[in-house]
Amino acid sequence: MSALTALTLAEARDGLHARQFSATELTAAHVAAIEAARPLNAFITETAERALDAAAAADQRLGRGEGGALEGLPLAIKDLFCTRGVATTAGSRILDGFVPTYESTVTARLWAAGAVLLGKLNLDEFAMGSSTESSCFGTTINPWRRAGDATPLVAGGSSGGSSAAVAAGLCLGATGTDTGGSIRQPAAFTGIVGLKPSYGRCSRFGIVAFASSLDQAGPMTRTVRDAAILLGTMAGHDPQDSTSVPAPVPDYEAALTGDVRGLRIGVPREYRVDGMAPEIETLWQQGVAWLKAAGATIVEVSLPHTHHALPAYYIVAPAEASSNLARYDGVRFGLRVPGGTLDEMYENTRGAGFGREVKRRILIGTYVLSHGYYDAYYLRAQKLRSLIAGDFAQAFAAVDAILTPTTPSPAFALGENSDDPVAMYLNDVFTVTANLAGLPALSVPAGRAANGLPLGLQLIGRAFDEARLLNIGYALEQAAGPAPKPARWWEAA
Amino acid sequence: MSVDPETVKRIARLARIRVDQDELAGFAAELNGILGFIEQLASVPVDQVPAMTSGVDLALPWRADQVTDGGNPEIVLANAPGRMEGFYTVPKVVE
């Protein structure tokens, strides 16, 4: 491993400005790390040549004392963001051959700030999953293994390529998207930081749509500071997304004082679920103790509709997905499988192009939206969303943020949850509420399970209160101490 | 409510997804598992509760009704699986 790939994004930024190394050296070190890490299957598309060209241009700007906030910093992008001239797959056969002619707003902002694209990262097909096992490009392997056990584990999902790449030091940071936990769960499974911002904080323009009322883009990084830096560039109003909120973007990095004295942190009793591993409960109590020691006040709160969140999500998300994915028709882009009639061509294309999990969700979505069922399912689920959002509004009258575990378990083995869709969905039990309520939520690595695997704690905040949320996360990170890094077994593989 | 293979066939047709005869029972079982899970919501009283239709409390913004983009057929058609004379092609629809 090169010393340059061990840097945090903030350290690399400062090193570039101090001319301790060049952007070209920094990018070349990451390109080499990516080549050595192919057994992890984190990347779908590598763009080494483009990266080195961009790094050379960044070096010129840095040499003139110019450059943006992310000048010369190599990042990788979940393959759900459209990147002009670089294939974008959403992990699906149905986008076979698709090369966008436009750029997503979030990635355009990163490149305008000087960041360097290393490549596109693996994900569950259309971001539907919690393990990247539904990707048509194969499963991403977690850089972490259980102590003394070489069984391959999943890196979480849907942003599993992003989590693996960041944890393995293949990029300084990555983008993810989060519809029900797809940034936070993989972050927890790989011992990194993942932030789902408030709905409307980052533009959804140019991101392949899954469930439009829930989807949000966010940063995945090795430290809270790095997440604050990336969010500062990713966030902001975009007229091309009608749900993008025209609110100013604060200086998130400047908010990281680590001072949480006087803040009130809620602990929701409903998040103590049956079958939760005892080490998760221990971790949670540890988080409570850390924040208390840092001067925060701990308050027990109640979010009484929590146990309805997951079933409501599994109505809203498939319903919106079935509508969004109607655009994959074999006419305008991607795969086309011929048929005798137009309808046959649609059916053949979609039958061959979509994988099992995506078909399942489109079928569920079509069913719950079909004639006579709309009120019983979709409308009822939207009402449950109101109740869940109301729970949070009530809690936030008394507290500044809410602390929970991120996941009910550490990373699991490939195939372990794939027989039963509902068992897989339970991965999202702690994360899905923030999506339904539109709130920001941050996962911070906070400890390890008995088997050595990383575990995460989640902080949920008020809408558009990311600055405070990141600062509380920073305090947790400081209390937990330096996050351990995985052994680099793949370099010997 | 329970989904049978005939219902799977009907909704697959609505969704324009080809599902072969031998796949219907498997999908029916999976869909019933998911529907059984979401069925628990039926017991929550929601008559007086408003529906939450967006992730953000924001009125849809207005903009001037004017053309801001367009005139780039090459860009629009660049990814078309079939094209002819500046149009997408599809199987014949009109006899």
Side-chain angles (χ1 to χ4, degrees):
Chain A
M1 181 179 69
S2 153
L4 293 179
T5 60
L7 298 174
T8 68
L9 183 130
E11 288 165 351
R13 174 193 62 185
D14 299 344
L16 282 176
H17 283 283
R19 310 304 288 154
Q20 288 167 359
F21 44 82
S22 68
T24 300
E25 288 165 334
L26 184 64
T27 294
H30 284 92
V31 166
I34 291 168
E35 282 172 12
R38 290 198 181 125
L40 299 178
N41 197 30
F43 282 78
I44 292 173
T45 305
E46 298 173 13
T47 57
E49 208 170 306
R50 171 181 158 147
L52 290 165
D53 287 348
D59 275 329
Q60 296 209 338
R61 284 190 290 272
L62 287 164
R64 294 194 298 266
E66 300 167 8
L70 303 174
E71 197 66 48
L73 299 175
L75 305 177
I77 300 298
K78 184 178 187 179
D79 206 12
L80 203 64
F81 293 77
C82 284
T83 41
R84 189 168 54 203
V86 178
T88 298
T89 69
S92 182
R93 273 184 296 273
I94 210 156
L95 275 168
D96 187 34
F98 174 62
V99 179
T101 53
Y102 60 98
E103 188 79 26
S104 85
T105 297
V106 162
T107 50
R109 297 177 74 100
L110 295 173
W111 315 143
V116 170
L117 171 66
L118 288 166
K120 305 293 291 290
L121 295 160
N122 200 14
L123 70 164
D124 281 294
E125 185 178 6
F126 285 102
M128 297 179 188
S130 303
S131 63
T132 76
E133 289 170 292
S134 75
S135 169
C136 79
F137 298 97
T139 305
T140 294
I141 307 300
N142 197 323
W144 286 90
R145 289 170 164 178
R146 294 176 186 130
D149 178 353
T151 307
L153 306 177
V154 302
S158 66
S159 311
S162 305
S163 64
V166 171
L170 312 184
C171 53
L172 292 173
T175 61
T177 61
D178 191 315
T179 304
S182 280
I183 286 175
R184 291 159 286 159
Q185 182 256 20
F189 276 15
T190 55
I192 66 164
V193 175
L195 172 64
K196 182 203 91 74
S198 312
Y199 186 82
R201 182 70 288 189
C202 294
S203 170
R204 292 181 295 109
F205 177 79
I207 301 172
V208 174
F210 163 13
S212 299
S213 77
L214 304 166
D215 297 342
Q216 250 308 284
M220 299 174 73
T221 55
R222 290 194 288 273
T223 68
V224 172
R225 178 175 303 279
D226 292 355
I229 294 168
L230 277 190
L231 181 65
T233 295
M234 293 169 70
H237 180 237
D238 175 15
Q240 294 192 97
D241 171 3
S242 65
T243 61
S244 164
V245 173
V249 178
D251 184 340
Y252 295 114
E253 193 182 4
L256 304 181
T257 61
D259 184 0
V260 297
R261 283 174 297 174
L263 291 184
R264 296 169 68 83
I265 307 295
V267 174
R269 64 177 78 98
E270 291 81 4
Y271 280 58
R272 274 190 193 90
V273 297
D274 291 342
M276 189 162 87
E279 57 203 13
I280 302 285
E281 173 70 32
T282 308
L283 172 87
W284 197 6
Q285 293 313 317
Q286 179 64 69
V288 165
W290 281 330
L291 290 176
K292 204 186 272 183
T297 305
I298 307 298
V299 182
E300 178 150 322
V301 294
S302 176
L303 302 168
H305 296 93
T306 296
H307 61 289
H308 298 312
L310 206 51
Y313 174 82
Y314 275 96
I315 294 170
V316 173
E320 295 184 8
S322 72
S323 170
N324 271 327
L325 271 59
R327 74 191 67 179
Y328 303 100
D329 57 4
V331 175
R332 287 160 299 164
F333 38 72
L335 183 74
R336 167 182 288 194
V337 179
T341 64
L342 184 59
D343 274 332
E344 264 178 39
M345 192 269 279
Y346 291 153
E347 290 177 349
N348 291 346
T349 298
R350 291 162 64 82
F354 291 136
R356 183 89 182 182
E357 179 63 24
V358 172
K359 285 180 188 170
R360 196 149 55 205
R361 296 206 198 186
I362 292 175
L363 293 175
I364 283 283
T366 305
Y367 181 75
V368 300
L369 292 176
S370 66
H371 184 68
Y373 293 128
Y374 181 88
D375 286 3
Y377 288 115
Y378 192 66
L379 184 63
R380 179 169 285 268
Q382 286 186 314
K383 291 179 169 195
L384 260 302
R385 273 186 89 170
S386 287
L387 293 173
I388 289 157
D391 285 355
F392 279 109
Q394 202 151 25
F396 283 127
V399 298
D400 298 299
I402 290 171
L403 179 74
T404 79
T406 308
T407 59
S409 77
F412 48 86
L414 276 65
E416 204 172 299
N417 278 334
S418 48
D419 292 343
D420 178 2
V422 175
M424 185 68 97
Y425 297 170
L426 289 173
N427 268 286
D428 295 336
V429 67
F430 298 140
T431 49
V432 76
T433 50
N435 300 81
L436 290 168
L439 302 173
L442 173 72
S443 180
V444 180
R448 296 218 257 173
N451 59 15
L453 294 179
L455 297 171
L457 283 172
Q458 174 179 240
L459 289 160
I460 306 172
R462 295 190 186 100
F464 288 84
D465 201 15
E466 283 86 356
R468 184 174 356 219
L469 201 61
L470 284 159
N471 186 40
I472 302 169
Y474 183 64
L476 270 182
E477 183 182 55
Q478 287 189 318
K485 292 187 175 178
R488 305 182 72 78
W489 52 266
W490 58 90
E491 290 183 343
Chain B
M1 260 171 280
S2 155
V3 170
D4 58 18
E6 264 318 295
T7 309
V8 174
K9 199 169 169 178
R10 185 174 62 81
I11 57 178
R13 169 87 187 117
L14 285 173
R16 299 292 187 274
I17 294 175
R18 180 178 166 159
V19 175
D20 292 331
Q21 198 67 29
D22 60 351
E23 295 176 287
L24 293 174
F27 272 119
E30 288 168 15
L31 265 45
N32 280 324
I34 299 166
L35 289 169
F37 175 62
I38 61 186
E39 211 60 52
Q40 57 180 281
L41 295 185
S43 64
V44 187
V46 292
D47 285 353
Q48 304 304 315
V49 179
M52 180 171 166
T53 55
S54 170
V56 66
D57 190 13
L58 185 72
L60 200 61
W62 292 69
R63 59 171 167 77
D65 184 16
Q66 55 194 201
V67 177
T68 57
D69 200 357
N72 293 307
E74 276 310 311
I75 289 178
V76 173
L77 291 168
N79 281 290
R83 57 183 286 188
M84 192 190 289
E85 295 174 11
F87 293 95
Y88 296 110
T89 59
V90 294
K92 193 172 171 186
V93 221
V94 183
E95 287 306 320

